[in-house]
């Protein structure tokens, strides 16, 4: 009996040693052709056994029962988080479990740029790595309903920034995050607005900010550009800004803005219509939003590009015409 007990104890010790050795040893991985990592998706609510089976199915060349046993023995199996993970060469059972418990998912990122239109945003999301296209060919109104912003036009409603997402995340999730970020930025800017602005609400500030974004060549001029448009709105002068006309032309714009384009009336033609256009024309950044509600102290009503990215500002038409001759006509 003593020999049996001793043999059993010795077997248990050896099994424990072997288990500890295996727990720290690199797992054999079989990545898919053309890949260097094993992609694993852990579904929500998966049991420890289900997680082990998912790992083996993804390319971890180890018996699922052994992984399951290790997870259960660790006491951490109930803390495993659902998500998308990458396993690299050298991963051990211990490191894999740690990754799953931390929720250290495989992340990618996509950058939305200041001044982009909604069309450019959608193109960037469709081209983003490992981002699921759950947007399809939905109309703008259908998409805004999906995002929880029914009745709002999508143009300018997404904040330009770099967004990180887990592999195989839906594109709508990134859009929703960007929409929420823009709403927060707009609300924050509106709360800091100067008194007496000719803007009725935060949406009008967003529209103006989108124009400022497109019209600013150098950051140092942003406040002055904002002042010109604010001053024009105050006296009922038309904004007369090319970017709104270009936006209104849509696909008809071929890169060359002609006189007939400036005379062709559309809801976005600020040469033929007074006030702000009906929607933003692009995504403004934080600086443009703040400039819209905190314009520089200036009497300027005009500005013209100097040719180096900066602008020349003028308070009178005569001064403006002289600036045009100097910087545009080179006279």
């Amino acid at each position: 009996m003593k020999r049996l007990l001793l043999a059993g104890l010795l077997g248990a010790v050896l099994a424990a040693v072997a288990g500890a050795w295996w727990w720290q040893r690199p797992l054999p991985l079989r990545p898919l052709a053309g890949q260097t990592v094993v992609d694993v998706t852990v579904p929500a609510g998966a049991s420890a056994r289900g997680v082990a089976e998912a790992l083996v199915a993804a390319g971890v060349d180890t018996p699922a029962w052994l992984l399951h046993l290790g997870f259960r023995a660790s006491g951490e199996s109930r803390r495993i988080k659902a998500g998308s993970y990458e396993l690299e060469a050298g991963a051990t059972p211990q490191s894999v479990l740690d990754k799953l418990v931390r929720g250290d998912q495989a992340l990618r990122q996509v950058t939305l740029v200041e001044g982009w239109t909604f069309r450019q945003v959608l193109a960037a999301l469709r081209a983003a790595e490992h981002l699921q296209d759950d947007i399809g060919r939905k109309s703008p109104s259908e998409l805004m309903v999906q995002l929880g912003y029914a009745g709002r036009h999508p143009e300018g409603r997404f904040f330009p920034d770099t967004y990180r997402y887990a592999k195989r995340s839906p594109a709508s999730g990134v859009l929703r995050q960007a929409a929420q970020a823009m709403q927060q930025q707009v609300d924050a800017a509106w709360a800091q607005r100067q008194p007496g602005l000719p803007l009725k609400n935060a949406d009008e500030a967003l529209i103006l900010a989108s124009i400022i974004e497109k019209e600013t060549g150098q950051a140092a001029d942003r406040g002055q550009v904002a002042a010109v448009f604010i001053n024009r709105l105050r006296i009922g002068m038309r904004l007369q800004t090319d970017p709104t006309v270009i936006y209104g032309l849509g696909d008809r714009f071929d890169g060359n803005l002609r006189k007939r384009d400036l005379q062709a009336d559309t809801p976005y033609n600020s040469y033929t219509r007074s006030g702000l256009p009906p929607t933003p024309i692009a995504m403004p950044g934080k600086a443009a939003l703040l400039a819209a509600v905190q314009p520089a102290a200036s009497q300027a009503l005009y500005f013209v590009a100097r040719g180096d990215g900066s602008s020349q500002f003028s308070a009178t038409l005569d001064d403006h015409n002289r600036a045009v001759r100097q910087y545009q006509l080179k006279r």
Side-chain angles (χ1 to χ4, degrees):
M1 182 64 70
K2 289 182 179 180
R3 289 180 178 179
L4 288 175
L5 289 174
L6 184 59
L9 180 60
L10 180 60
V13 170
L14 291 175
V17 170
W21 175 83
W22 171 81
W23 191 243
Q24 300 297 334
R25 292 288 296 172
L27 289 163
L29 303 180
R30 292 180 289 99
L32 295 176
Q35 296 188 4
T36 59
V37 298
V38 167
D39 283 317
V40 181
T41 298
V42 176
S47 64
R49 185 184 301 278
V51 173
E53 292 172 349
L55 288 167
V56 172
V60 177
D61 196 8
T62 296
W65 68 264
L66 188 56
L67 286 171
H68 175 226
L69 182 62
F71 292 164
R72 289 295 301 273
S74 72
E76 297 285 301
S77 60
R78 293 182 179 276
R79 298 179 57 202
I80 291 176
K81 297 177 177 62
S84 180
Y85 299 90
E86 288 178 344
L87 305 183
E88 300 177 346
T92 66
Q94 175 72 70
S95 69
V96 169
L97 179 61
D98 290 344
K99 181 187 286 282
L100 299 179
V101 168
R102 290 195 310 269
D104 186 11
Q105 297 191 57
L107 299 179
R108 296 295 184 268
Q109 65 183 37
V110 61
T111 298
L112 309 183
V113 180
E114 289 93 340
W116 272 7
T117 63
F118 182 57
R119 180 181 297 183
Q120 290 172 298
V121 170
L122 292 183
L125 293 179
R126 291 189 177 111
E129 184 183 16
H130 296 297
L131 192 62
Q132 288 185 353
D133 183 7
D134 65 333
I135 297 172
R137 300 298 170 185
K138 293 181 179 178
S139 68
S141 59
E142 290 173 334
L143 182 54
M144 294 306 279
V145 168
Q146 178 183 354
L147 297 178
Y149 293 90
R152 295 191 180 185
H153 194 283
E155 198 64 77
R157 294 287 177 181
F158 305 93
F159 189 68
D161 202 349
T162 296
Y163 295 92
R164 303 184 74 191
Y165 58 90
K167 291 175 67 174
R168 290 179 287 278
S169 293
S172 62
V174 175
L175 268 183
R176 188 174 292 107
Q177 185 180 355
Q180 292 169 348
M182 179 59 86
Q183 190 61 58
Q184 292 170 357
Q185 292 289 342
V186 170
D187 291 343
W190 186 244
Q192 301 174 63
R193 66 188 182 277
Q194 293 177 1
L197 292 177
L199 301 173
K200 298 176 184 176
N201 49 48
D203 276 358
E204 290 197 349
L206 175 60
I207 294 171
L208 179 57
S210 73
I211 298 173
I212 295 168
E213 187 68 64
K214 297 296 287 185
E215 279 282 25
T216 303
Q218 288 188 0
D221 289 342
R222 193 175 283 112
Q224 288 268 55
V225 170
V228 167
F229 293 129
I230 287 292
N231 291 340
R232 288 189 173 195
L233 289 172
R234 279 201 175 105
I235 64 176
M237 181 178 175
R238 289 175 182 172
L239 297 184
Q240 297 181 321
T241 172
D242 292 354
T244 63
V245 179
I246 292 170
Y247 183 84
L249 291 173
D251 292 336
R252 290 175 293 161
F253 181 63
D254 61 4
N256 185 19
L257 193 62
R258 301 171 178 84
K259 183 177 180 179
R260 67 172 182 265
D261 297 326
L262 301 179
Q263 295 173 339
D265 184 51
T266 76
Y268 292 88
N269 190 333
S270 55
Y271 287 84
T272 62
R273 300 199 182 193
S274 300
L276 294 165
T279 73
I281 59 171
M283 292 189 304
K286 182 177 180 178
L289 287 167
L290 288 174
V293 297
Q294 297 178 356
S298 171
Q299 299 301 313
L301 289 170
Y302 308 91
F303 63 95
V304 63
R306 290 193 180 112
D308 61 356
S310 65
S311 298
Q312 178 68 34
F313 298 88
S314 304
T316 68
L317 183 57
D318 287 342
D319 287 345
H320 175 62
N321 288 335
R322 279 192 289 271
V324 170
R325 288 193 294 270
Q326 178 180 354
Y327 295 108
Q328 297 289 308
L329 303 179
K330 306 298 183 183
R331 295 177 184 172

